[in-house]
Structure formats: C-alpha cells, structure tokens
Amino acid sequence: MTDSAQVFQLRSIRRTYQVGSEFVHALDGVDLKIYDREFIAVVGTSGSGKSTLMHTLGFMDSPSSGEMFFEGKDVSNISRSERARLRATRIGFVFQSFNLLPKLSVMDNVLLPLVYGRTRTHNKKELGMSALQRVGMEHRASHRPSQLSGGERQRVAIARALTNQPRLILADEPTGNLDSKNRGRIMDLFGSLLDEGITLALVTHDDEVAQYAKRHIRMQDGKIVEDDGA
Ligand SMILES: Nc1ncnc2c1ncn2[C@@H]1O[C@H](COP(=O)(O)OP(=O)(O)OP(=O)(O)O)[C@@H](O)[C@H]1O
Ligand SMILES: [Mg+2]
C-alpha cells in the first residue's frame, strides 16, 4: 500500500507512568500501522493498555518515547496547540460513558467540536443537523442528554464525533453500557460510516462486537501480542 493510504504509523511507542517509586509501562514498545478505511478491534485484558493506545492515537495523551506519524507527517514532537487542532479536526472520539455535557442540548453537544476546532462556518445548525440525521437523532435536537436512553446518548456521542468530518473514529468500548439491541444498532451505524470511507478503531471486551471488525489487535502488558492484519 502507498503512504497516502496510511493514516497512522507508530514506532516503538512507550508510555510510562510513575506512581511513587514505581513505573507502570502502559505502552511498552508498540509498533502499529493503520490504513485508510480499516476497521480494527482492539482487545485484551483489563490494564493491558487499550485505552492508553486510544488516547495516544487521539492526541489526548503524549507518548514517553517513540515515533508517531499521522497522514505521513511526523507528529512525535508537535506543539500542544497543534495536537489540540488535530484532535479537534481530524479525529472523532467516542467514549463508553458517552461524555455528553448535561447542561447542553443535544444540538449544542454535537456542535462542540466546532468550538474546540475553532471551525468557522456559516451553516453550523445544518452541520449539526446532518450529523444528527446520520445517527437518526434529528428529532431529539433540543433535548438534554438526561432525557435520552443510553443507546440514544451513544448515537448523539457518535454524531458529535462526526461533526468535523474526521478521517478516523476512535471508540473506547462504545457499546460497553448498552443492551444487545442498542449494541447492534451502534455496530450497524459504524458499518455505514465505514461504507462512507471512515477509518475505525474500537476497543471492546465483547467477542460479538469484535467479530464486526476486519482486523483484530490483542494487547497484553502494554504490547501488541497478536495482530491478524499485520
Ligand atoms: N494516569 C495513570 N497513572 C498511572 N498509571 C496509569 C494511569 N493510567 C493508566 N495507568 C496504568 O496503565 C495500564 C494501562 O491502562 P489502560 O487504561 O490503558 O488499560 P485498559 O487496557 O484500557 O484497561 P480496561 O480494559 O480496564 O479499560 C494499567 O496498568 C493502568 O493501571
Ligand atoms: Mg480502558
């Protein structure tokens, strides 16, 4: 594959936390290439480094060492503001606990990435509405998150991740708080986003959810120990 098809490349990425006199190697030498339009499931036991990997890919956390390339560009040592810009404009992040702001309406939650990304646009509401339409939640635009079911909240959180039309969606156990019906709906929704050209990496503990993915990465003790797409 050519470099233009490469979304991410990680080389020898380490993330070490110091807790008192102890060092925790949350990522312990991770090498990974992610290509355009891939659908990757990241699995592994609790504490194996899955969330740390997602936060690293999402520019929410910086590696302690190693090299990182995004869309062919070396992003290992970019500034805080550049990281914030990439996080806000190129990546959509979906959390297990939805992370919607309770005091904002559904629409205002969905429009938040435009604020963070300082995206200038004249048609904010249209962008928000189109993101909500993609997840079938346009009829709830003026509701508060507390007035929605769990599955609906996660659909709104996915709409929010889509507002800036990111290339890559990262999801950390997006179906962890959902029943099987809603889990199926969310996975179908991800399937249609993949058809539209998005690249997706998600963490899951659920074998059924992992089966939707085409590539499976298993983590253990901060390392990738299995990768059926490498
Ligand atoms: N802020 C932190 N300070 C110290 N250690 C941390 C911190 N965050 C994570 N760790 C440690 O790093 C390791 C990897 O954590 P991580 O959250 O990536 O695991 P995980 O695979 O996502 O687990 P889970 O399935 O439970 O969500 C764990 O041992 C954890 O205790
Ligand atoms: Mg985790």
Side-chain angles (χ1 to χ4, degrees), residues 19 28 56 77 124 150 178 181-182:
V19 182
D28 193 11
T56 303
N77 295 305
K124 263 189 177 181
L178 302 179
K181 183 168 153 252
N182 277 304

Side-chain angles (χ1 to χ4, degrees), residues 17 19 24 26 45-52 173 205:
Y17 293 105
V19 182
V24 179
T45 52
S46 180
S48 57
K50 306 179 297 296
S51 293
T52 309
E173 297 201 46
H205 277 115

Side-chain angles (χ1 to χ4, degrees), residues 49-221:
K50 306 179 297 296
S51 293
T52 309
L53 177 63
M54 287 290 153
H55 295 157
T56 303
L57 293 171
F59 298 104
M60 296 194 282
D61 187 40
S62 297
S64 308
S65 67
E67 291 177 287
M68 191 164 151
F69 297 83
F70 179 61
E71 298 180 328
K73 185 182 167 223
D74 189 346
V75 291
S76 315
N77 295 305
I78 55 173
S79 67
R80 250 179 117 87
S81 61
E82 179 70 357
R83 296 170 61 79
R85 194 188 63 78
L86 285 173
R87 181 169 66 228
T89 58
R90 308 296 289 138
I91 313 250
F93 211 98
V94 180
F95 301 86
Q96 175 174 357
S97 51
F98 322 135
N99 276 18
L100 298 171
L101 297 188
K103 291 194 173 152
L104 297 185
S105 69
V106 161
M107 173 61 88
D108 287 341
N109 267 286
V110 167
L111 293 177
L112 270 180
L114 300 180
V115 179
Y116 295 141
R118 300 208 184 110
T119 313
R120 284 201 200 126
T121 169
H122 298 297
N123 57 349
K124 263 189 177 181
K125 285 268 142 93
E126 277 167 43
L127 269 181
M129 240 344 152
S130 105
L132 283 172
Q133 272 161 1
R134 284 168 85 181
V135 303
M137 285 300 293
E138 65 279 13
H139 59 306
R140 294 285 185 261
S142 56
H143 282 228
R144 294 279 176 89
S146 62
Q147 297 166 323
L148 304 176
S149 72
E152 288 175 334
R153 283 181 214 183
Q154 195 56 302
R155 277 149 66 198
V156 172
I158 292 170
R160 181 182 54 185
L162 294 171
T163 310
N164 269 327
Q165 297 168 304
R167 175 155 193 199
L168 174 70
I169 297 230
L170 300 168
D172 197 349
E173 297 201 46
T175 59
N177 279 323
L178 302 179
D179 60 23
S180 65
K181 183 168 153 252
N182 277 304
R183 187 177 60 195
R185 286 196 72 156
I186 294 296
M187 294 316 293
D188 289 344
L189 176 56
F190 280 138
S192 58
L193 295 178
L194 285 158
D195 292 340
E196 290 171 33
I198 266 181
T199 305
L200 175 63
L202 66 79
V203 171
T204 186
H205 277 115
D206 185 331
D207 287 343
E208 269 182 51
V209 169
Q211 276 170 18
Y212 283 84
K214 299 203 179 64
R215 178 177 172 192
H216 306 84
I217 288 174
R218 180 173 300 278
M219 297 201 65
Q220 191 183 310
D221 299 330

